């Protein structure tokens, strides 16, 4: 059976696809001097600053892990802590000017690389794949940790 004729089940396809995307994401992060988690943090912060509890929930990190990630990112000049205007005791995490520049390049490069994974598909197949995967993501309440520029405002996170 040739490559085009092979069929795999949904579990195998999703797990193998997640490994593929993760490897591409990790390579892009590495090429931009970031860890995968730093890349995720910066992408989440692209639209706006967030509080630590919001970031922990979005990134699926325990408080101690998130604190370490933010601390390292602050030391690297990528993010800063700022007062939360709604709670004087809390802080929000925001991109610095340098962090915004780094994430803009990382984001654009990562989008190109991941988009390239579907180069063997027709436009109709790509739309169908996006529609089906989008439903799986939405049905499972996956936080918006990465969003394409052309996604609707309703998906903003």
């Amino acid at each position: 059976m040739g490559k085009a004729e092979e069929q795999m089940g949904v579990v195998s396809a999703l797990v193998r696809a997640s490994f593929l995307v993760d490897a591409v994401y990790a390579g892009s992060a590495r090429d931009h001097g970031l860890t995968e988690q730093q890349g995720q943090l910066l992408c989440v912060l692209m639209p706006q600053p967030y509080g630590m509890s919001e970031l922990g929930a979005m990134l699926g990190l325990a408080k101690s892990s998130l604190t370490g990630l933010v601390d390292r990112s602050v030391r690297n000049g990528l993010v800063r802590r700022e007062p939360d205007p709604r709670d004087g005791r809390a802080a929000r995490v925001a991109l610095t000017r340098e962090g915004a520049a780094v994430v803009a390049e990382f984001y654009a490069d990562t989008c190109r690389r991941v988009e390239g994974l579907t180069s063997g598909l027709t436009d109709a197949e790509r739309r169908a794949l996006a529609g089906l995967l989008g439903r799986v993501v939405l049905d499972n309440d996956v936080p918006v940790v990465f969003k394409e520029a052309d996604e609707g405002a309703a998906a903003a996170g």
Side-chain angles (χ1 to χ4, degrees), residues 5-29:
E5 299 169 7
E6 288 181 28
Q7 289 290 320
M8 64 178 71
V10 69
V11 172
S12 179
L14 283 172
V15 170
R16 291 172 70 179
S18 79
F19 273 86
L20 175 63
V21 172
D22 188 52
V24 170
Y25 193 92
S28 183

Side-chain angles (χ1 to χ4, degrees), residues 48-54 83-92:
Q48 68 185 43
Y50 285 101
M52 292 291 282
S53 61
E54 293 170 300
D84 187 328
R86 298 171 295 180
D87 182 352
R89 300 165 298 165
R92 295 186 318 168

Side-chain angles (χ1 to χ4, degrees), residues 96-121:
T96 61
R97 184 171 288 149
E98 180 183 347
V102 168
V103 76
E105 290 180 21
F106 167 68
Y107 172 83
D109 187 35
T110 302
C111 285
R112 276 191 301 277
R113 291 179 188 205
V114 173
E115 181 79 17
L117 297 175
T118 63
S119 63
L121 302 178

Side-chain angles (χ1 to χ4, degrees), residues 27-98:
S28 183
R30 209 173 22 259
D31 290 348
H32 291 274
L34 302 169
T35 66
E36 287 179 72
Q37 287 186 327
Q38 283 175 325
Q40 290 171 343
L41 174 65
L42 297 182
C43 286
V44 166
L45 293 172
M46 284 177 76
Q48 68 185 43
Y50 285 101
M52 292 291 282
S53 61
E54 293 170 300
L55 285 173
M58 292 174 84
L59 296 172
L61 294 175
K63 185 177 179 182
S64 61
S65 297
L66 178 62
T67 299
L69 173 62
V70 171
D71 287 348
R72 286 187 301 280
S73 299
V74 167
R75 280 195 304 273
N76 292 336
L78 301 171
V79 302
R80 67 179 182 279
R81 287 182 173 90
E82 59 184 32
D84 187 328
R86 298 171 295 180
D87 182 352
R89 300 165 298 165
R92 295 186 318 168
V93 179
L95 293 172
T96 61
R97 184 171 288 149
E98 180 183 347

